[in-house]
Amino acid sequence: MTDAQETAADTSLRTTGGAPPDDVAPAPIPLLEPREGIPPVVADDDALATVIADFAAGTGPVAVDAERASGYRYGQRAYLVQLRREGAGSTLIDPVGCPDLSGLGEALADTEWILHAATQDLPCLRDIGMTPTSLFDTELAGRLAGFPRVGLGAMVENVLGYALEKGHSAVDWSTRPLPEPWLRYAALDVELLVDLRDALEKELDRQGKLEWALEEFAAIASAPPAPPRKDPWRRTSGMHKVRRRRQIAVVRELWTARDQVAQRRDISPGKVLGDAAIVEAALALPVDVQALTALPGFGHRMGRRQLEQWQAAVDRAKQLPESELPQPGQQPAGPPPPRSWADKDPAAAARLSAARTAVTELAERLHMPQENLITPDTVRRICWEPPKALTPGAVETALAGHGARRWQIEQVAPLLLRALDTRA
């Protein structure tokens, strides 16, 4: 760490002020209001063409946000897209009426996009044709700068001194028409993103962390889409209770049947059938619909046709030949759980303990979460299987191989080199 970074790390982060004296009531935080009022929702090609022209003619970065209907609809598609740019103002776009926003994405291709928690919104934006080449993530910037609370509302309040409206983040954004209070909430999500970005850039620069943040943003922007999960049914909550292969097959069949129903009805799978009910059926292996009905999650509210559908899935699993039964979940590639290291490899356990201590201390000095300094998985993998030659270059190469950025390597490689030389 440079002298400038050491000094910055010891300096309190800028907020909207310290605590008032005991006998003075704190000043109320003003509630943010849209500067131009709530913009109309763009839901047809003609209105979209106007928006594209306006935003292409705007200046500076563009603030972008998206609202999904998680917990209500199948998948993670966007049901509202909000943008704001100097010279263009704010706009709200309905991706149901305008499902292809590639023209807008192309118009903003050379523009920096400002998002809060970018990795959450980028997949659904990519699906409608919007992919940035350059971005600034205000949530990640807040983490790197050491803010203890990095939600958008907390950041806007602490950095800019305004309160955002609350209460609509988890609503069903597929509702049409969208109520005016929801639209106000959505418009405010991009109202001050540019201001927040500028303030955080100054703070990161003051702490000597701006180049680190830019590396992180570039990595997010250039990351390919995540590949589909292998055997997603294995992530059923409570799956750890299911041990026998026949029971595991019931989970797979019920999960697959539920997913097909949810996709066809465009409804969240959890609203079709809960994970807990799937696990109960797998453990019980009901012989018929009557036995299935007696299980938790398959109560009287469920129609006969639905119950027969779930029992058919159970029966399919029960009739599978042994050769087609799924195997128990395999341990993911990489080292075993750290709790077993002391027995399996005491030397690796000693390396991990030393590495964790060193990373924790450095993260505290830099005022940032440990996982942003270096991922715990990377530390575990290197400590379990260290480079054959314990040299600075070998450790740096190993870190890079696990996806660590240049700034992370510069910070943690010397610490890990010492930790890897620890004896049990």
Side-chain angles (χ1 to χ4, degrees):
M1 185 164 57
T2 66
D3 290 342
Q5 289 159 359
E6 187 81 58
T7 301
D10 291 336
T11 305
S12 297
L13 292 164
R14 183 171 69 87
T15 64
T16 53
D22 292 339
D23 58 345
V24 177
I29 299 174
L31 187 66
L32 185 65
E33 291 288 342
R35 279 170 270 193
E36 298 97 17
I38 304 174
V41 178
V42 174
D44 60 68
D45 290 343
D46 289 341
L48 178 60
T50 300
V51 165
I52 292 174
D54 289 345
F55 274 78
T59 59
V62 58
V64 183
D65 190 28
E67 305 295 348
R68 299 174 298 280
S70 303
Y72 297 94
R73 295 290 182 175
Y74 185 86
Q76 295 294 316
R77 66 172 292 186
Y79 282 95
L80 190 70
V81 175
Q82 309 99 281
L83 301 98
R84 183 175 181 83
R85 191 181 192 190
E86 185 69 30
S90 295
T91 190
L92 304 176
I93 302 176
D94 179 4
V96 177
C98 301
D100 182 4
L101 298 186
S102 57
L104 179 59
E106 291 168 4
L108 299 172
D110 297 327
T111 301
E112 179 190 81
W113 295 22
I114 309 170
L115 301 103
H116 193 81
T119 54
Q120 294 183 21
D121 287 341
L122 286 177
C124 71
L125 290 170
R126 185 182 292 114
D127 289 344
I128 53 178
M130 297 185 65
T131 304
T133 56
S134 171
L135 65 84
F136 190 106
D137 186 334
T138 50
E139 191 232 25
L140 181 52
R143 290 181 181 277
L144 296 176
F147 283 82
R149 297 167 59 226
V150 294
L152 181 59
M155 294 294 292
V156 168
E157 183 173 323
N158 289 334
V159 177
L160 302 176
Y162 285 95
L164 290 178
E165 288 190 17
K166 301 176 182 178
H168 302 304
S169 60
V171 299
D172 181 2
W173 288 96
S174 69
T175 301
R176 293 296 183 272
L178 286 165
E180 182 176 307
W182 299 11
L183 296 175
R184 179 187 303 276
Y185 167 92
L188 290 174
D189 273 356
V190 293
E191 184 78 13
L192 291 180
L193 267 186
V194 175
D195 304 73
L196 182 60
R197 174 236 181 272
D198 292 345
L200 287 172
E201 181 181 59
K202 292 178 181 177
E203 180 62 30
L204 288 167
D205 189 39
R206 184 186 71 80
Q207 294 187 24
K209 299 175 181 176
L210 182 56
E211 290 302 318
W212 303 357
L214 296 178
E215 276 192 59
E216 294 295 307
F217 303 156
I220 294 172
S222 62
R229 289 188 184 277
K230 182 182 179 182
D231 294 342
W233 54 270
R234 291 188 184 273
R235 296 176 61 83
T236 302
S237 181
M239 185 76 186
H240 62 282
K241 303 175 186 176
V242 185
R243 304 289 187 181
R244 290 158 46 197
R245 292 176 64 198
R246 187 72 60 183
Q247 294 173 325
I248 296 172
V250 172
V251 173
R252 181 178 65 184
E253 293 296 327
L254 280 172
W255 188 98
T256 301
R258 178 185 70 174
D259 194 66
Q260 292 169 348
V261 172
Q263 190 168 9
R264 185 176 68 249
R265 294 171 55 191
D266 190 17
I267 189 172
S268 170
K271 290 186 175 296
V272 175
L273 184 68
D275 280 9
I278 291 177
V279 171
E280 289 289 344
L283 295 174
L285 295 174
V287 297
D288 54 27
V289 168
Q290 185 175 357
L292 181 70
T293 306
L295 298 176
F298 298 92
H300 62 278
R301 294 184 181 180
M302 196 171 286
R304 178 78 185 185
R305 186 175 176 182
Q306 288 178 294
L307 289 167
E308 290 175 347
Q309 171 182 255
W310 306 133
Q311 183 62 41
V314 174
D315 292 342
R316 284 195 298 274
K318 292 166 70 174
Q319 294 163 7
L320 286 173
E322 288 288 328
S323 61
E324 295 181 19
L325 293 177
Q327 295 294 331
Q330 301 297 315
Q331 286 291 339
R339 62 179 177 274
S340 66
W341 286 27
D343 293 329
K344 293 185 176 183
D345 190 337
R351 292 192 294 266
L352 181 61
S353 177
R356 282 175 164 175
T357 298
V359 169
T360 297
E361 291 174 352
L362 178 57
E364 289 175 352
R365 290 200 303 274
L366 293 174
H367 291 282
M368 70 170 64
Q370 296 175 41
E371 62 269 21
N372 292 114
L373 175 59
I374 191 70
T375 67
D377 181 67
T378 296
V379 174
R380 286 193 296 269
R381 287 174 183 270
I382 288 182
C383 289
W384 181 254
E385 194 172 347
K388 289 183 171 56
L390 290 183
T391 64
V395 173
E396 290 170 6
T397 299
L399 285 168
H402 290 300
R405 260 72 71 189
R406 180 180 54 82
W407 75 269
Q408 293 175 315
I409 294 171
E410 290 175 351
Q411 294 297 314
V412 304
L415 306 178
L416 291 182
L417 180 62
R418 290 193 292 272
L420 292 176
D421 201 29
T422 300
R423 298 290 185 265

